[in-house]
Amino acid sequence: MIQLIRGFKDILPAEVALWQHIERTAVALFAAFGFDEIRVPIMEKTELFARGIGEDTDIVEKEMYTLEDRGGERLTLRPEATASIVRAYIQHKLYADDPLRKLYTIGPMFRRERPQKGRYRQFYQIDVEAFGMAGPYIDAQMIHMLHLFFQRLGVSRSLAHLNSLGCPVCRPRFREALSGLLAQVEEKLCADCRRRQARNPLRVLDCKVPTCREAVADAPAIVDYLCDDCRQHFNSVTESLARLGVPFELNKRLVRGLDYYTRTTFEIQTDLLGAQSAVAGGGRYDGLVETLGGPATPAIGFAVGFDRLVEILGQRLKVEAPKPALFIAALGEKARREAFYWCAALAAAGIYVEMEHGDKSLKAQMKRADRLGAARVLIVGEAELASGKANLRDMATKAQSEIALDGVAEKLEQTLKP
Ligand code: ATP
Ligand code: MG
């Protein structure tokens, strides 16, 4: 039997209710904050991710699913959505009417990582981006929105970790100080870090290898190197968060693995996930739109790890699958035929009705109605068809009421309308 690809997974019907609940919660919340949905393709030219994410990141160096199509073009399954949304923003001149755009998208991402709990090769992200706002309020708003999102879902044990990465004015000074330290601890670093350290020393702070973490434990903090503008910006963000009642913690070690991030960077962590503690991450990327050929545009975004959120909530939130408003227990071919058309009329009217399609006993049908959690059962056999009347049973109270079969679909529609 052919199995699915390693690191990929099926989301089975029993789990989908939870996925939909999360999605609906996100959509309603984002709409209230003025975010519009955008849908971008799953594949892009490889070059977009190479330039947009940065050549010496884990993602571009070793995680991308890249293929050459029959025309010889190099294409990549998107490892994240930001680069694609930025491309769309530029390509369709979404800035023309109003450079302020707030966008989100929800969908699958692909990274060839080592599969484990909370880490898949196809995983889902809820991705949110805001363009054209340089000031600190949008940073605070995004983190606030993320906090509300987790609250509404009932994820209580989560905390926003916060840092500032500075800007092209102040980062070089920090980079120099960091390089100084890295030179001293070089032999303790993993091969990747040793190689990257010269070109992108900040990446070393992001390395997950324990010996690397240890080696940079005493690394200088970026926040001590911020220029006045970056410092003021960061202070305003933290002040706003405090006033909005969003719990956060400064984390001087927090850097993003992606090169285009500037200033505010954040991650939502929870102790409910074990090793993969980050359930969302994001930050400001003021340089990316211009890097990808658009007009200089400040921007900020975040991505929620949908699968990890499902893992947290799966343990605590039971989202019920919809239950039929009615089960028609039909006995005999003639009754089944009638029932089939009644079901069709009721479904068209938006009412979920189930029936049995095989020749099953009344007992078996009642059992199935019970298992499905049907609110009512209509029992129809030869006798009922002959008399033109049938019994409608309320499964909770066991009360029975008689209903005439002439025009029964319309009558049921009135009775069962939610
Ligand atoms: P991590 O440190 O866990 O590797 P990351 O820095 O690569 O995360 P981002 O690129 O910022 O993650 O993606 C945002 C979120 O997407 C993460 O916080 C995480 O919840 C989720 N995520 C990232 N990679 C995976 C994956 N392979 N499987 C499932 N979820 C993932
Ligand atoms: Mg990663």
Side-chain angles (χ1 to χ4, degrees):
M1 187 246 147
I2 300 167
Q3 305 262 339
L4 52 58
I5 308 168
R6 185 165 130 82
F8 286 55
K9 70 177 175 192
D10 299 310
I11 302 162
L12 299 175
E15 301 165 87
V16 165
L18 179 55
W19 286 75
Q20 288 179 340
H21 170 72
I22 294 171
E23 220 170 287
R24 276 195 301 267
T25 306
V27 168
L29 182 68
F30 298 168
F33 278 91
F35 285 80
D36 300 317
E37 184 175 355
I38 182 169
R39 298 188 185 190
V40 286
I42 276 172
M43 269 211 265
E44 299 271 1
K45 293 183 180 161
T46 303
E47 194 195 341
L48 174 70
F49 300 118
R51 274 173 55 195
I53 297 175
E55 298 277 6
D56 45 21
T57 55
D58 276 351
I59 293 180
V60 173
E61 273 183 349
K62 50 191 183 194
E63 295 176 359
M64 293 203 305
Y65 280 97
T66 296
L67 60 100
E68 208 170 274
D69 77 359
R70 282 165 200 270
E73 196 164 21
R74 277 169 65 76
L75 305 173
T76 295
L77 287 175
R78 63 179 184 194
E80 48 111 68
T82 305
S84 310
I85 294 180
V86 171
R87 181 207 38 77
Y89 180 80
I90 299 168
Q91 181 169 351
H92 305 288
K93 296 192 171 58
L94 296 184
Y95 49 81
D97 293 337
D98 184 354
L100 275 59
R101 290 307 285 250
K102 294 155 101 175
L103 305 169
Y104 73 89
T105 200
I106 302 175
M109 308 297 155
F110 304 84
R111 296 182 194 175
R112 199 173 186 290
E113 303 194 70
R114 197 167 68 76
Q116 52 189 292
K117 189 168 159 43
R119 200 172 283 288
Y120 308 98
R121 289 179 170 178
Q122 175 177 332
F123 61 100
Y124 290 75
Q125 282 185 342
I126 301 172
D127 186 84
V128 182
E129 315 287 348
F131 296 97
M133 287 158 269
Y137 290 126
I138 186 69
D139 307 39
Q141 182 178 74
M142 283 212 148
I143 299 167
H144 180 219
M145 189 167 86
L146 204 44
H147 170 70
L148 290 176
F149 179 51
F150 289 119
Q151 266 199 335
R152 285 198 188 172
L153 291 172
V155 183
S156 48
R157 275 150 64 188
S158 67
L159 187 65
H161 287 239
L162 213 60
N163 197 12
S164 174
L165 299 181
C167 68
V169 173
C170 50
R171 208 181 311 171
R173 224 160 50 82
F174 169 72
R175 196 185 274 246
E176 219 170 276
L178 181 62
S179 293
L181 175 109
L182 294 178
Q184 288 169 33
V185 299
E186 187 170 350
E187 64 280 14
K188 293 186 190 144
L189 302 176
C190 72
D192 279 345
C193 283
R194 247 177 278 160
R195 184 166 39 80
R196 284 171 184 153
Q197 157 208 345
R199 261 175 55 190
N200 190 353
L202 261 76
R203 287 281 294 111
V204 180
L205 294 178
D206 195 31
C207 183
K208 303 219 170 53
V209 176
T211 47
C212 290
R213 296 205 153 218
E214 222 168 274
V216 298
D218 298 323
I222 312 184
V223 286
D224 294 334
Y225 288 80
L226 297 181
C227 59
D228 288 346
D229 286 350
C230 284
R231 164 141 309 285
Q232 232 172 47
H233 192 276
F234 193 51
N235 284 346
S236 304
V237 174
T238 54
E239 273 164 33
S240 309
L241 288 176
R243 185 159 164 195
L244 289 165
V246 178
F248 65 88
E249 193 175 281
L250 298 186
N251 181 346
K252 66 165 191 168
R253 307 286 314 279
L254 187 69
V255 296
R256 307 296 308 160
L258 313 181
D259 288 346
Y260 51 67
Y261 284 103
T262 51
R263 293 193 167 171
T264 315
T265 191
F266 55 96
E267 202 163 89
I268 309 291
Q269 299 190 0
T270 166
D271 60 352
L272 300 168
L273 275 172
Q276 313 307 335
S277 59
V279 69
R284 188 166 268 289
Y285 52 94
D286 289 343
L288 183 61
V289 179
E290 201 175 11
T291 301
L292 291 178
T297 308
I300 178 166
F302 66 76
V304 179
F306 206 144
D307 311 68
R308 293 188 192 171
L309 196 50
V310 167
E311 262 150 45
I312 297 172
L313 290 171
Q315 306 158 8
R316 47 193 56 221
L317 195 76
K318 275 280 154 279
V319 179
E320 301 269 328
K323 293 180 164 133
L326 177 73
F327 186 94
I328 305 181
L331 296 156
E333 185 50 40
K334 244 168 104 183
R336 262 202 304 281
R337 188 186 318 132
E338 294 306 312
F340 171 74
Y341 291 107
W342 298 336
C343 282
L346 287 163
I351 298 167
Y352 172 33
V353 179
E354 275 290 351
M355 64 175 285
E356 189 63 57
H357 286 267
D359 192 14
K360 291 274 165 65
S361 71
L362 180 61
K363 193 167 155 220
Q365 295 197 45
M366 292 305 285
K367 226 166 137 181
R368 175 144 183 265
D370 215 39
R371 190 163 47 75
L372 292 171
R376 291 185 173 84
V377 175
L378 182 74
I379 301 166
V380 192
E382 293 285 340
E384 284 78 10
L385 288 180
S387 69
K389 282 180 280 195
N391 273 329
L392 187 63
R393 181 187 297 188
D394 187 305
M395 294 294 274
T397 64
K398 304 284 176 233
Q400 305 233 30
S401 55
E402 209 174 63
I403 187 165
L405 294 181
D406 188 28
V408 72
E410 292 80 47
K411 275 181 248 165
L412 285 169
E413 187 184 331
Q414 291 309 314
T415 316
L416 302 173
K417 237 194 329 230

